[in-house]
Amino acid sequence: MTRKKDVGMFVVTGATGGLGRATVEALLARGVPAERIAAVVRKPERAADLAARGVQLRQADYDRPETLAPAFADAERLLFVSSTGPDEARVAQHRAVVAAATEAGVGLLAYTSVLAADTSPLVLAEVHRITERVIAESGLPSVLLRNGWYTENHAAGLPRAVESGVLVGSAGKGRAAFAARADFAEAAATVLTGEDQAGKVYELTGDTAHSLADLAAEASAAAGRPVRYEDLTPERYTEFLGSFGLPDFAVELVVDADVRISEGALETVTGDLAELLGRPTTPPSATIAGILAAAA
Ligand SMILES: NC(=O)c1ccc[n+]([C@@H]2O[C@H](COP(=O)([O-])OP(=O)(O)OC[C@H]3O[C@@H](n4cnc5c(N)ncnc54)[C@H](OP(=O)(O)O)[C@@H]3O)[C@@H](O)[C@H]2O)c1
């Protein structure tokens, strides 16, 4: 295993996804030369625009472990974006990523975990707990980006809510410290380009906590139309989400997250994200206005 002393390549997995792509953009915006950035993707054709700007594309799939170590070769800094899909598959995928990163001898592995992964009651936190343990056991220099809740998770449904006048969920009066996905990406780029990051754990949240009724009110203000929040039982919310053809595991995670929000599991404001950004986090009102404008 070789480990370079100088900063070599910045390698970003999940680079055709929302967070990975935004992190590549944030690295470029911070002045990292495109030729020092490698985007790890399953479908290179979906990242042709990045390639056109000089970013290297490396094809790999968490489900095909043999593709991973070559994609991580010469990575001095690796952003490992957690996978999507059912938990059983994700644990195997994440183990494969960590094994490949170890084999490649990456200089620093940054993992996108979840807020308070060690104690979080969210169902989806279990995969992150296991992955954090696997990373620790690997002995790789690593940093944990424990991401809080994206505003987009709920705001994505707002154009429909504006049409119907109703935003539904199961979060009751619970509040979450939402932040824009681009904020988490910018923070990831800051950590990747920073020094002395190994061993750090960032608990990343927005600066203020909001209820889903608050998000509905923001949507109403931005659209100039009435939008109210209607709280559904978890059973009814499950039926509602199922009617859009979402897979069962995804519905379970989304409903569980709302129920946990109702209990305060994502309400904590830590200040870590604003500190990394060097500015306040993006308020939900701005993200919502952007989403509604794009949908108009
Ligand atoms: N904190 C939050 O609020 C929150 C919300 C949603 C998700 N997440 C987690 O954070 C991660 C990043 O969020 P996001 O918004 O960027 O999600 P996203 O847009 O769904 O992107 C997920 C990325 O993971 C890649 N991926 C999935 N399975 C893979 C596999 N087998 N091999 C290689 N790559 C694979 C996808 O590749 P393709 O483009 O080829 O599909 C995509 O690039 C998610 O994957 C999820 O674990 C967090």
Side-chain angles (χ1 to χ4, degrees), residues 87 120-129 252-253 256-257 260:
D87 280 4
S120 172
L122 269 74
V123 166
L124 60 81
E126 181 61 11
V127 169
H128 294 295
R129 264 193 292 280
E252 188 200 342
L253 293 183
D256 173 72
R260 300 306 160 202

Side-chain angles (χ1 to χ4, degrees), residues 13-20 41-43 46 60-63 81-84 90 93 112-114 128 147-150 153 181 184:
T13 72
T16 43
L19 186 76
V41 299
R42 287 194 284 193
K43 296 184 180 131
R46 294 187 52 212
D61 187 330
Y62 298 165
D63 285 320
V81 172
S82 51
S83 176
T84 52
R90 292 175 82 204
Q93 290 169 343
T112 62
S113 186
V114 71
H128 294 295
N147 289 342
W149 221 229
Y150 303 163
N153 293 342
R181 185 163 51 186
F184 293 107

Side-chain angles (χ1 to χ4, degrees), residues 61-80:
D61 187 330
Y62 298 165
D63 285 320
R64 292 192 296 131
E66 71 282 4
T67 62
L68 295 169
F72 301 159
D74 70 14
E76 186 54 28
R77 308 279 160 100
L78 170 67
L79 178 66
F80 166 18

